[in-house]
Amino acid sequence: MNSPSRLPFYIAVFLLIAAGISLATWRHVELGIPWLTGEQRPVWMVEARVDFDGSNDPVVASLNVPERPPGFQILTEQAASPGFGFTIINSAGSRRAEWTKREAAGPQTLYFKAQFIPDPAAEPTPPAQKPQTQRLFWEEPQATAVREILAQAEARSSTPESMTRELIRLMQPDTRVQNTTLLVSEDNYLPLLVNMLNHSGIPARTADGLKLEDARRRQQLTPFLQIYNGDQWLTLNPKTAAQGVPENVLLWRQGSESMLDVVGGGNSQVSFSMLRQTIPALQLSAMQADGNGLGFLSFYELPIEEQSMFRMLLLLPLGALVVAFMRIVIGIRTSGTFMPVLIAVAFVQTTLIPGLVAFLSVVSIGLLMRGYLSSLNLLLVSRISALIILVIFITAGLSIFGYQMGFNTGMTVTFFPMVIIAWTIERMSILWEEESGQEVLIQGSGSLFVAICAYLLMSAPLAGHLTFNFPELHFAVLGLILLMGQYTGYKLTELKRFTPMKAYD
């Protein structure tokens, strides 16, 4: 009779393991949950300070604020403006922070703070429709100079990017000719460059970037040039034509008509201060998950009490994996199938040494009392019930004794599962009567050894981090346990027993 094929089983196990690893990877990528504990992520705190003099009139102050700056994600935003109303307005493809007040007189100071996370993959949202350009009117002789410069740059280029680079090169001081000298001055260089590009049919605009340096104050913005190449806005240095946003530069303004507008006040100015911070990556991922609506996928949405419960429950599959490996592959005999897992859970609560002392004390005293119950010839149900009550009294006595002696060891005994301990004592007692004290010692020490191994794995910070933040990894644990369930070879502890057969062969 042919045995059924195991191929569907192995396919199912492979899918389980692949699903667990894939879901965990997705959670890491989408939610930013770190693989390791203790990881720190940099966060830039940038503060914009607006100063102006109120003229005892109604005030409306409007500051351009970033929207999806390339290379950064916005984590939080807040304003500090006592006595002012505040809102953020999205209009015409730009975001503006707006402060309002019925009447303001004298010096006024407003603050806007935002936290930015460096993210090389962050890109601005592409425009909904292609930006429009318009041909400008220049009077002579400027009109002739503009036509000749644009024709010269166009002859040496084939794309909007190369056209822009050639035009920048032609307008530099060391390459200027009579036409460029006629047009360019220190004050109008960047606006002239933008106007000439738009006149040639290439959408162009200005941008302002903020160089991020730790603990810097009163910083000003650096102007940049942006052109539209048909697919996206490209950022260039207007002096060197270098393409791309430099490292640690935050584009605060992109294309807005103005940085700051103040109605009802004068002498307005804006300056920036910044500070580099580091926060735990896990805390950062939780904040981002709340912001993007994926927070419901995390256990952190549960109350603290339920979180503590799940932190412990999600460690049990690791203990089950250790027990399955020790019994099936290694061949260690234990008292009960998964009693070592429950002991390991208690060890996680009590720590190892106090837990061992408490467990051995309860079992030893319980075995002595079980011997007396055996002499009474009680039925099994009555004997187990009486043993459970005695175990409770033993743990209570150890707790009181430990408290009076100034130790916490006795008080942590209550973490042990009473019914399981009672059954363990019963099984050991029967084993002692039917086999020998040596067998009790072998299974008891095997149970403790497996429990200690499971405790070492379950108490590892990385294990707690992965099981709680990536619960889908338990699919992979389940797949490994199913694979071990198909193992029918020799256990490692049996190799010594069958060594003479090898010598005989």
Side-chain angles (χ1 to χ4, degrees), residues 337-406:
T337 306
F338 286 100
M339 189 265 287
V341 179
L342 300 177
I343 297 176
V345 171
F347 286 169
V348 171
Q349 297 287 336
T350 63
T351 68
L352 184 57
I353 301 302
L356 277 174
V357 172
F359 176 78
L360 293 175
S361 301
V362 172
V363 172
S364 300
I365 299 174
L367 283 174
L368 294 176
M369 293 186 174
R370 168 61 176 76
Y372 172 73
L373 293 176
S374 180
S375 64
L376 299 179
N377 295 323
L378 299 175
L379 295 176
L380 176 63
V381 175
S382 296
R383 190 167 64 243
I384 292 296
S385 301
L387 194 57
I388 291 175
I389 297 174
L390 291 175
V391 168
I392 293 175
F393 276 107
I394 294 170
T395 56
L398 286 177
S399 297
I400 295 173
F401 176 77
Y403 177 76
Q404 295 296 333
M405 296 296 294

Side-chain angles (χ1 to χ4, degrees), residues 132-153:
Q132 299 297 317
T133 63
Q134 60 179 353
R135 298 184 66 85
L136 304 179
F137 175 76
W138 273 281
E139 295 183 354
E140 294 294 345
Q142 285 83 4
T144 302
V146 168
R147 287 195 299 271
E148 291 182 0
I149 294 174
L150 290 178
Q152 187 177 358

Side-chain angles (χ1 to χ4, degrees), residues 490-491 493-505:
Y490 290 120
K491 299 177 175 63
T493 54
E494 295 176 337
L495 295 180
K496 182 178 180 181
R497 186 173 62 165
F498 291 104
T499 299
M501 296 181 60
K502 182 179 180 181
Y504 179 78
D505 291 339

Side-chain angles (χ1 to χ4, degrees), residues 136-465:
L136 304 179
F137 175 76
W138 273 281
E139 295 183 354
E140 294 294 345
Q142 285 83 4
T144 302
V146 168
R147 287 195 299 271
E148 291 182 0
I149 294 174
L150 290 178
Q152 187 177 358
E154 188 174 358
R156 299 178 181 179
S157 62
S158 58
T159 61
E161 298 94 310
S162 58
M163 172 74 175
T164 304
R165 288 194 295 267
E166 286 299 321
L167 188 58
I168 292 175
R169 187 185 65 82
L170 291 173
M171 296 177 67
Q172 294 308 302
D174 56 345
T175 58
R176 287 180 188 172
V177 293
Q178 184 177 0
N179 288 330
T180 53
T181 303
L182 175 66
L183 295 171
V184 180
S185 66
E186 292 297 330
D187 297 332
N188 74 341
Y189 170 75
L190 186 55
L192 175 65
L193 185 60
V194 171
N195 289 335
M196 292 179 68
L197 286 169
N198 279 283
H199 188 75
S200 67
I202 299 175
R205 66 187 187 185
T206 61
D208 290 318
L210 182 64
K211 185 169 179 58
L212 299 177
E213 298 178 297
D214 190 20
R216 298 300 298 271
R217 302 177 59 192
R218 300 285 184 173
Q219 298 299 296
Q220 300 298 320
L221 296 171
T222 302
F224 285 89
L225 172 68
Q226 289 188 325
I227 62 169
Y228 187 74
N229 67 348
D231 297 320
Q232 60 181 339
W233 287 100
L234 302 178
T235 304
L236 297 94
N237 187 310
K239 297 292 185 181
T240 65
Q243 185 173 323
V245 182
E247 185 179 1
N248 283 344
V249 169
L250 169 67
L251 288 185
W252 187 274
R253 183 185 68 88
Q254 299 183 76
S256 177
E257 292 299 327
S258 61
M259 171 60 67
L260 175 65
D261 294 324
V262 177
V263 178
N267 300 324
S268 61
Q269 60 179 352
V270 59
S271 61
F272 296 87
S273 302
M274 62 210 70
L275 184 66
R276 187 180 186 275
Q277 303 171 321
T278 56
I279 64 175
L282 192 58
Q283 175 186 347
L284 179 60
S285 66
M287 297 171 66
Q288 290 179 289
D290 292 338
N292 58 22
L294 296 176
F296 70 95
L297 297 175
S298 171
F299 283 111
Y300 291 101
E301 292 296 305
L302 298 176
I304 298 298
E305 184 177 355
E306 279 73 12
Q307 289 187 36
S308 301
M309 178 187 67
F310 276 105
R311 281 186 184 274
M312 184 57 61
L313 288 178
L314 292 171
L315 290 173
L316 290 177
L318 297 182
L321 178 65
V322 172
V323 171
F325 178 78
M326 289 295 183
R327 289 186 61 112
I328 297 173
V329 179
I330 305 299
I332 296 177
R333 287 179 288 177
T334 62
S335 179
T337 306
F338 286 100
M339 189 265 287
V341 179
L342 300 177
I343 297 176
V345 171
F347 286 169
V348 171
Q349 297 287 336
T350 63
T351 68
L352 184 57
I353 301 302
L356 277 174
V357 172
F359 176 78
L360 293 175
S361 301
V362 172
V363 172
S364 300
I365 299 174
L367 283 174
L368 294 176
M369 293 186 174
R370 168 61 176 76
Y372 172 73
L373 293 176
S374 180
S375 64
L376 299 179
N377 295 323
L378 299 175
L379 295 176
L380 176 63
V381 175
S382 296
R383 190 167 64 243
I384 292 296
S385 301
L387 194 57
I388 291 175
I389 297 174
L390 291 175
V391 168
I392 293 175
F393 276 107
I394 294 170
T395 56
L398 286 177
S399 297
I400 295 173
F401 176 77
Y403 177 76
Q404 295 296 333
M405 296 296 294
F407 299 106
N408 289 328
T409 303
M411 301 182 68
T412 57
V413 179
T414 54
F415 286 107
F416 287 105
M418 301 301 172
V419 177
I420 300 299
I421 293 295
W423 268 109
T424 300
I425 295 173
E426 175 69 16
R427 288 172 58 89
M428 287 185 173
S429 181
I430 295 175
L431 191 63
W432 193 305
E433 295 171 355
E434 295 180 353
E435 300 288 339
S436 64
Q438 181 180 2
E439 186 65 21
V440 172
L441 184 63
I442 291 175
Q443 292 192 15
S445 59
S447 298
L448 281 180
F449 176 74
V450 175
I452 291 173
C453 292
Y455 159 78
L456 294 176
L457 177 60
M458 295 166 65
S459 63
L462 181 60
H465 171 77

